Amino acid sequence: MAAAQGRLSDGAGGMDDAKEGDQDAKETAPLPFRAAVDALKGARLRPEIEIDPTRPPQRLAPYSYALEAAVVAEDEDLADGRLVLLHDPAGHEAWQGAFRLVTLIRAELEPEMAADPLLPDVSWSWLTGALQARGLSYGEPSGTVTRASSHYFGGLAERPAASQIEIRASWTPREGLGGVPDTAAHLAAWCDLLCQIAGLPPAGPGDASVVTLPQRRGPQSR
């Protein structure tokens, strides 16, 4: 795979808005949501992961919190993504719970890999496998795996063809003590998936079952 093309940014001012929204959430949100957000902030992640809060969606749930992350090696972006935590204290019929995690992950592929008919099924199995490898209980998973190819012509004809994979997914983390899901573990599993799609080797013996993509061609500058 090649480097992901740019960050999933909402534009200038997004970080300030995220910080202000985070402060508001601390003051007004229910305790289970505040505890779930605190767990996300305290999670320990691989050093290749650069992660920051970003502006969450405003209309999907009464309370939300979002993180934006990139896998970076030698100052190059290899994959990026966004993870959103949603909370509805009244519960949500479609979620079958009071919390929902929503994600978007993307990275570029070698053209021959993008042509593999099994790639969508394998990519989805990476998500479910990452959650299962962490021993996490979850329900109502749904999502899409999309492949897109770009071919350049005219003044851009010298550029090589590019292919990108995008995983959009959501699932319901099962709630534990006090009605709070283990969001730190879900974040760790999500980062496992992000590193996997970036083509990084497993972080340690505990991740030996992870099968990564083949080595990428040289990554592009951020």
Side-chain angles (χ1 to χ4, degrees):
M1 294 194 316
Q5 293 296 309
R7 297 294 182 87
L8 299 168
S9 176
D10 284 322
M15 283 301 301
D16 290 337
D17 292 340
K19 292 176 182 177
E20 291 174 3
D22 183 31
Q23 185 62 37
D24 291 341
K26 280 186 176 181
E27 296 175 354
T28 65
L31 180 59
F33 179 74
R34 300 202 316 259
V37 170
D38 286 343
L40 289 174
K41 295 177 181 177
R44 298 181 63 183
L45 307 175
R46 288 182 62 165
E48 298 92 345
I49 297 285
E50 292 187 358
I51 193 164
D52 290 293
T54 188
R55 180 187 302 172
Q58 301 299 309
R59 299 180 180 179
L60 297 181
Y63 303 96
S64 60
Y65 181 80
L67 294 168
E68 186 176 81
V71 180
V72 181
E74 298 181 357
D75 203 33
E76 307 293 344
D77 283 7
L78 305 182
D80 56 34
R82 177 177 295 161
L83 184 68
V84 180
L85 175 68
L86 305 176
H87 179 53
D88 186 342
H92 194 293
E93 183 177 358
W95 303 351
Q96 294 296 300
F99 286 89
R100 188 75 171 172
L101 286 164
V102 182
T103 186
L104 164 64
I105 290 177
R106 66 183 187 182
E108 286 195 12
L109 300 172
E110 297 288 355
E112 58 272 20
M113 291 182 60
D116 186 342
L118 296 179
L119 181 64
D121 298 278
V122 171
S123 299
W124 182 255
S125 73
W126 290 342
L127 169 61
T128 57
L131 294 170
Q132 292 166 5
R134 295 272 177 180
L136 294 169
S137 178
Y138 65 97
E140 309 304 318
S142 64
T144 61
V145 177
T146 303
R147 292 177 291 187
S149 297
S150 299
H151 299 265
Y152 301 95
F153 301 92
L156 301 176
E158 293 184 358
R159 293 189 182 182
S163 298
Q164 187 178 76
I165 185 173
E166 182 179 275
I167 301 175
R168 295 178 180 267
S170 63
W171 66 94
T172 298
R174 294 307 184 203
E175 298 163 21
L177 187 65
V180 182
D182 189 352
T183 50
H186 281 270
L187 175 59
W190 180 74
C191 288
D192 292 342
L193 171 64
L194 193 62
C195 289
Q196 190 170 359
I197 199 172
L200 294 188
D207 298 322
S209 62
V210 174
V211 178
T212 59
L213 291 176
Q215 191 68 32
R216 296 165 297 280
R217 60 177 177 241
Q220 301 171 4
S221 298
R222 292 165 63 181

